[in-house]
Amino acid sequence: MSIVIYNHLDAACARDLALINDDWPYQFLSEYTRFQKHLDDSDYYIVHDTDLRCYIPLKVYKRKGFRFGQIKHAPISPEGETNAETQLSFYNNFIDYCRKQNFCVRLVQPPPSGLQQVVPEGAHHIEFGSYVIDLSGQSEEEILEKFHPKYRKAVSHTARNYNKLVIGKEALDDFYKLYLETMQRAGIHPVNRSEFQLLIDYLGENRVTTAVIHDLSLIHISEPTRHICLSRMPS
């Protein structure tokens, strides 16, 4: 087993991280490392298991003198996504490394975008979060038919009545106003507007799109295999 820790901000790591390009999920990119550093001054690493040839992005922060780690994306290889068996081996190897090197005392819950196929043995977890559903080979009508009737009605209502679409960073203010309304209605603590602006500043408009559809809103970070969406549907 060989775990190596890299940092995009360390010039000495540039050669080892040169294989990471725009085809990789955004959490692995150097721009996202800089975004995290600017946002909360946390440390952000790319962890490499040289035996498995897999990588994860890892945020590390301190609370009361203890270092906590948050995995931002499931392990991937230069060839793409990894299977559950490989992911589990990676996690077991990395947890063993953390214990021996005192790298961090605990791995906390990943964000919703950090899709994982497995849970390491002994980890506390519950079944919730984001899921990947294969929609290939299905028509729009077939996909819509599987929705709950309430949401089928909402989609049809939107298609009939809201045809004004504004895309780009110019829509950020309108998006954020509607986003705040959505979070307040749901009783969820909102993300500051500055964080969305930083995402655009660091990742660029080719990866972050702010859009407003009449009185609906969405923002997403797009890349080849995933997108994160925050959306409001008509009530």
Side-chain angles (χ1 to χ4, degrees):
M1 179 194 73
S2 181
I3 295 291
V4 182
I5 308 294
Y6 299 118
N7 188 327
H8 276 296
L9 302 181
D10 184 351
C13 298
R15 181 176 180 180
D16 296 298
L17 295 174
L19 79 167
I20 296 177
N21 55 45
D22 283 350
D23 292 331
W24 288 53
Y26 67 89
Q27 296 96 330
F28 291 85
L29 303 180
S30 62
E31 295 91 338
Y32 194 73
T33 296
R34 291 172 172 80
F35 161 73
Q36 287 288 338
K37 192 67 176 178
H38 189 150
L39 183 65
D40 55 17
D41 200 32
S42 58
D43 294 320
Y44 200 81
Y45 302 100
I46 303 298
V47 181
H48 180 202
D49 187 318
T50 58
D51 292 340
L52 296 173
R53 296 184 64 251
C54 293
Y55 300 78
I56 61 167
L58 181 78
K59 175 181 177 178
V60 176
Y61 60 93
K62 288 185 178 180
R63 291 291 185 272
K64 297 182 179 180
F66 295 100
R67 286 165 57 90
F68 296 88
Q70 184 184 45
I71 297 171
K72 289 289 189 172
H73 194 283
I76 67 171
S77 72
E79 289 73 38
E81 301 285 338
T82 54
N83 58 34
E85 181 180 0
T86 300
Q87 289 188 17
L88 183 59
S89 295
F90 187 104
Y91 293 140
N92 288 335
N93 292 344
F94 181 54
I95 290 170
D96 189 47
Y97 172 89
C98 289
R99 287 171 176 162
K100 291 179 178 178
Q101 302 297 325
N102 198 28
F103 186 68
C104 56
V105 297
R106 178 177 296 176
L107 296 176
V108 302
Q109 175 185 319
S113 58
L115 296 163
Q116 320 286 328
Q117 294 189 46
V118 294
V119 178
E121 184 178 353
H124 297 286
H125 70 286
I126 57 176
E127 297 291 337
F128 83 103
S130 302
Y131 302 88
V132 175
I133 302 174
D134 186 3
L135 301 179
S136 59
Q138 301 180 64
S139 66
E140 291 184 8
E141 292 75 16
E142 290 171 329
I143 294 171
L144 190 61
E145 185 62 30
K146 297 177 182 178
F147 280 31
H148 186 283
K150 173 183 176 180
Y151 299 113
R152 287 205 302 269
K153 181 179 178 181
V155 170
S156 298
H157 177 74
T158 301
R160 288 195 308 270
N161 296 283
Y162 302 120
N163 55 12
K164 181 181 178 182
L165 175 64
V166 181
I167 297 177
K169 62 182 180 182
E170 296 79 10
L172 179 57
D173 287 336
D174 288 337
F175 157 77
Y176 194 71
K177 177 182 177 182
L178 295 168
Y179 164 75
L180 283 179
E181 293 176 7
T182 303
M183 296 298 102
Q184 290 167 0
R185 187 172 62 249
I188 301 173
H189 183 72
V191 172
N192 291 330
R193 181 192 180 282
S194 59
E195 185 168 337
F196 291 118
Q197 183 65 61
L198 281 174
L199 278 171
I200 295 174
D201 292 342
Y202 278 95
L203 295 180
E205 286 192 81
N206 62 324
R207 298 193 190 100
V208 181
T209 302
T210 308
V212 177
I213 308 172
H214 194 60
D215 70 342
L216 310 178
S217 63
L218 88 89
I219 186 168
H220 71 258
I221 306 172
S222 60
E223 34 89 5
T225 58
R226 301 252 195 278
H227 62 271
I228 301 175
C229 293
L230 297 169
S231 60
R232 177 188 176 195
M233 293 297 291
S235 55

